[in-house]
Amino acid sequence: MCSLPVPREPLRRVAVTGGTHGNEMSGVYLARHWLREPGELQRPSFSAIPVIANPEATAACRRYVGRDLNRTFTSLFLNTRATADDPYEVTRARELNQLLGPKASGKAFDFVLDLHNTTANVGTCLIANAEHNVFAMHLCRHLQLQSPELPCRVFLHQLPGEESYSVNSVAKNGMVLELGPQPQGVLRADLFSRMRALVGSTLDFIELFNQGTAFSAFEMEAYRIVSPVDFPRTEDGDLAGTVHPQLQDRDFEPLQPGMPIFQMFNGKDVLYDRKTTLYPVFINEAAYYEKGIAFVQTEKLTLSVPALPALTPNPTTIP
Amino acid sequence: MTSCHFAEEPIKKVAIFGGTHGNELTGVFLVKHWLEDDAEIQRAGLEVKPFITNPRAVKKCSRYIDCDLNRVFNLENLGKTRSEDLPYEVRRAQEINHLFGPKNSEDSYDIIFDLHNTTSNMGCTLILEDSKNDFLIQMFHYIKMSLDPLPCYIYLIEHPSLKYATTRSIAKYPVGKEFPSCAIEVYKIMEKVDYPRNESGEIAAFIHPNLQDQDWKPLHPGAPVFLTLDGKTIPLDGDRTVYPVFVNEAAYYEKKEAFAKTTKVTLHAKRICSSLH
């Protein structure tokens, strides 16, 4: 397996984005706070800038206004000519591409950390594109070690061959912090504090790296996307049932063949008919009903992550 | 024939409303299911009609289109001349009043059950608007007993200065089978508490982790209520213990309600029976 090139220079240009979905309140309130008081985002070797990624959706407290901003950073939208009919988020994606990108160019930001909430019971979830992103894997490990009492799971969300589409993909590197469960439009103090601490630890990790720290190789569990599963639906496309009570809130727990996954409104149970055990994530996320996703199947892997070499000639190795 | 307090006609017409708020999905999907197959809601001698009250909001999966349908059933709105300029929900309220009311008339439906969800941790809650209504108290008592041991809380929102004008208020309530006198414990609203805000009106503190999800649990003076961004705790003022409800309901941020204070009260209902026997 070949790895993505690790950074060979300090990371100087870092952004933290909140309000990519305007009703995911931890990131919205954190970004608003940091726009007024950016001190917390400063480190000796760099400062992260806070950005409200989707200001109109944030003002309306909605996920999006025209289309999901976090699915709009593909070349189809970024590189085509602007028209008067473009949805708000297409225009905004192009603006963010100018601010934080351009995507896939040498001028792009070094790292974008994107803040999200979900109605699903994922706890603390770190979402990276794939395991060959060695820098991101070491960052995940660092975050796990900061709160050993709290399960902090790594979800690799990109399908093979799929073009990246999210806010953090415009930068050279990036990751998503996803905390749940939190209803849309609600701000929970516990998740807010946890998100704030995770951002702080992320910036601490980048600072450590910039100061010439090397990080040893290690092994880590991760959950890699297999495929989504839709709700049972009527001919009109409406829901015919919902997530079974025995699956509800069981994100990251093994789902075995024969276990109930849906409860139909007529009372019948639908059982899981795959031949292997997989691990469901994003179970009953409100925003995914319209995307045809009741939950996402993942496989659990043990990753062997190679060392992250230090920037300077005299490394201080942290095991 | 037993004599009783109310000897009126038995209940004939009941409605079950879902989708009064389009994003509160339990009621939406229950009513949609019953519109296809109503076997489980039919009872002998009773007409039970399931109904989606705010179809446009349901389609959009949002609470409302122009304004909260569940705040517009007052006589002023219901009496306005029908016009396309009126907010969608006011026009809809007029239609619903026509179908199930009119409010305060003889032809109105006997009972309406309106199904809702909340982002607050309120479990199973029955909302009562009239503390003097023996039939409703008896009905709530019956429901509570049926659900036991699952807790079922009764929230009394009758208050001199509180105007709700909800869908519930357009039906009248005559009596049914005989039930002996009973008493129920209810949580009566005292006041609503807003979030602390800064000069620009933005929220400056959130529900404290100690209060989050603690609906119905006693909250004592001095206990943490809000937590500011810089970690300062704001305690409960006053000198009495209250019972908080609707703690951190998403839809109430715009209504400036972080939670509501309630006090525990016991309501009594006389024996009731129908006139038929």
Side-chain angles (χ1 to χ4, degrees):
Chain A
M1 174 184 67
C2 52
S3 307
L4 202 69
V6 296
R8 300 314 311 149
E9 300 283 334
L11 278 61
R12 301 279 185 220
R13 299 167 76 225
V14 175
V16 182
T17 49
T20 297
H21 296 133
N23 54 8
E24 295 176 13
M25 305 311 282
S26 302
V28 167
Y29 276 94
L30 277 170
R32 280 187 182 153
H33 171 63
W34 288 324
L35 283 164
R36 284 190 298 263
E37 289 176 41
E40 247 171 77
L41 300 183
Q42 286 162 3
R43 294 295 181 277
S45 66
F46 74 100
S47 288
I49 63 160
V51 178
I52 297 267
N54 195 335
E56 281 209 14
T58 299
C61 200
R62 293 169 51 168
R63 182 177 177 86
Y64 57 81
V65 176
R67 55 169 283 119
D68 191 337
L69 178 64
N70 215 28
R71 301 291 186 277
T72 306
F73 292 88
T74 59
S75 49
L76 171 68
F77 296 108
L78 295 179
N79 302 335
T80 49
R81 189 190 299 276
T83 73
D85 297 326
D86 283 336
Y88 168 76
E89 278 82 6
V90 172
T91 308
R92 183 62 184 152
R94 294 187 184 126
E95 282 169 16
L96 288 168
N97 195 35
Q98 288 306 305
L99 175 70
L100 304 172
K103 187 171 175 177
S105 80
K107 300 209 215 75
F109 262 56
D110 297 312
F111 199 89
V112 166
L113 186 65
D114 191 25
L115 308 182
H116 286 264
N117 293 113
T118 171
T119 62
N121 186 29
V122 303
T124 304
C125 182
L126 314 173
I127 307 184
N129 49 357
E131 64 257 40
H132 56 256
N133 186 339
V134 173
F135 184 85
M137 294 302 101
H138 277 270
L139 168 56
C140 288
R141 184 72 181 141
H142 179 83
L143 294 177
Q144 287 176 337
L145 291 173
Q146 296 315 297
S147 331
E149 74 292 352
L150 205 66
C152 188
R153 294 172 182 113
V154 177
F155 173 42
L156 306 172
H157 81 103
Q158 202 159 299
L159 290 163
E162 188 184 39
E163 186 188 3
S164 59
Y165 47 73
S166 56
V167 154
N168 48 290
S169 72
V170 303
K172 292 177 186 158
N173 208 332
M175 213 169 74
V176 167
L177 296 183
E178 181 91 51
L179 297 194
Q182 181 168 269
Q184 296 167 342
V186 168
L187 182 66
R188 287 184 65 106
D190 52 0
L191 296 191
F192 178 87
S193 303
R194 200 190 307 163
M195 180 83 87
R196 193 176 187 172
L198 285 165
V199 173
S201 297
T202 298
L203 302 185
D204 291 342
F205 175 81
I206 295 174
E207 178 65 22
L208 281 169
F209 177 77
N210 285 355
Q211 296 295 351
T213 312
F215 296 87
S216 308
F218 64 95
E219 288 201 332
M220 175 173 76
E221 259 176 17
Y223 297 82
R224 184 167 60 197
I225 186 169
V226 170
S227 60
V229 176
D230 194 5
F231 291 92
R233 291 185 184 267
T234 64
E235 286 137 17
D236 308 328
D238 218 347
L239 296 196
T242 189
V243 170
H244 196 279
Q246 286 175 38
L247 178 60
Q248 181 66 48
D249 300 333
R250 301 257 163 98
D251 301 68
F252 296 109
E253 291 179 34
L255 179 57
Q256 280 144 9
M259 285 170 75
I261 52 174
F262 297 116
Q263 191 170 75
M264 305 295 279
F265 297 138
N266 62 21
K268 291 201 181 58
D269 284 352
V270 174
L271 306 182
Y272 194 49
D273 62 0
R274 247 191 118 98
K275 303 285 188 292
T276 54
T277 294
L278 289 178
Y279 294 77
V281 185
F282 285 112
I283 300 173
N284 215 350
E285 157 57 53
Y288 285 1
Y289 282 41
E290 68 175 23
K291 297 191 200 294
I293 299 173
F295 61 94
V296 176
Q297 299 170 114
T298 71
E299 52 185 350
K300 191 152 74 153
L301 326 158
T302 303
L303 303 182
S304 294
V305 182
L308 180 63
L311 285 177
T312 66
N314 298 308
T316 313
T317 303
I318 292 191
Chain B
M1 177 157 100
T2 44
S3 78
C4 33
H5 180 72
F6 266 56
E8 289 191 13
E9 293 293 307
I11 292 170
K12 293 266 179 30
K13 297 199 295 184
V14 171
I16 306 180
F17 286 176
T20 295
H21 298 133
N23 57 0
E24 294 177 13
L25 299 190
T26 303
V28 168
F29 283 101
L30 277 171
V31 166
K32 279 186 179 183
H33 174 65
W34 289 327
L35 285 166
E36 295 292 312
D37 177 0
D38 66 359
E40 75 182 311
I41 57 171
Q42 291 310 322
R43 298 290 183 275
L46 205 57
E47 180 197 319
V48 182
K49 188 176 167 70
F51 189 77
I52 295 279
T53 42
N54 196 338
R56 279 184 60 192
V58 167
K59 199 164 147 74
K60 201 176 162 194
C61 200
S62 69
R63 182 176 175 87
Y64 55 79
I65 303 296
D66 295 327
C67 60
D68 191 338
L69 178 62
N70 214 24
R71 298 291 185 275
V72 299
F73 280 83
N74 50 41
L75 291 171
E76 189 201 331
N77 277 322
L78 296 176
K80 282 181 179 157
T81 309
R82 196 173 165 76
S83 112
E84 289 305 301
D85 296 330
L86 289 178
Y88 168 71
E89 276 83 8
V90 173
R91 283 180 274 133
R92 188 64 186 150
Q94 292 174 342
E95 284 165 21
I96 292 167
N97 189 40
H98 180 73
L99 283 168
F100 297 94
K103 199 172 164 79
N104 297 331
S105 91
E106 285 300 306
D107 298 321
S108 55
Y109 266 58
D110 299 310
I111 305 178
I112 293 174
F113 295 103
D114 192 22
L115 308 179
H116 286 265
N117 291 111
T118 171
T119 63
S120 301
N121 187 29
M122 288 166 68
C124 175
T125 299
L126 308 176
I127 301 186
L128 179 64
E129 288 180 14
D130 181 357
S131 62
K132 312 277 191 312
N133 192 300
D134 289 325
F135 176 79
L136 284 183
I137 294 169
Q138 288 280 4
M139 184 172 70
F140 280 26
H141 179 255
Y142 182 90
I143 295 171
K144 245 187 106 117
M145 296 302 112
S146 310
L147 286 172
D148 192 64
L150 184 73
C152 180
Y153 303 94
I154 300 172
Y155 181 34
L156 176 62
I157 59 173
E158 172 188 76
H159 189 287
S161 63
L162 212 57
K163 293 190 182 350
Y164 265 95
T166 59
T167 56
R168 283 181 293 280
S169 56
I170 65 177
K172 62 183 188 313
Y173 319 103
V175 303
K177 163 195 180 264
E178 167 155 356
F179 294 87
S181 64
C182 71
I184 53 171
E185 189 178 75
V186 309
Y187 294 80
K188 179 176 165 158
I189 186 168
M190 293 162 58
E191 63 169 305
K192 298 175 180 180
V193 180
D194 189 11
Y195 292 93
R197 291 176 188 268
N198 61 24
E199 310 84 38
S200 329
E202 292 165 349
I203 291 179
F206 345 112
I207 294 287
H208 194 281
N210 288 18
L211 178 56
Q212 179 68 48
D213 301 333
Q214 302 303 309
D215 303 67
W216 310 114
K217 306 257 173 57
L219 183 64
H220 305 295
V225 170
F226 296 111
L227 185 65
T228 68
L229 275 161
D230 31 6
K232 196 163 122 280
T233 294
I234 299 174
L236 182 72
D237 58 0
D239 54 5
R240 57 193 295 194
T241 293
V242 299
Y243 297 82
V245 301
F246 280 115
V247 176
N248 213 348
E249 159 55 55
Y252 287 1
Y253 283 46
E254 70 176 20
K255 297 195 204 293
K256 305 201 181 317
E257 179 181 338
F259 67 99
K261 292 179 182 174
T262 71
T263 177
K264 268 203 255 199
V265 163
T266 301
L267 298 185
H268 299 271
K270 297 183 175 60
R271 185 182 61 177
I272 59 167
C273 66
S274 82
S275 61
L276 272 189
H277 306 288

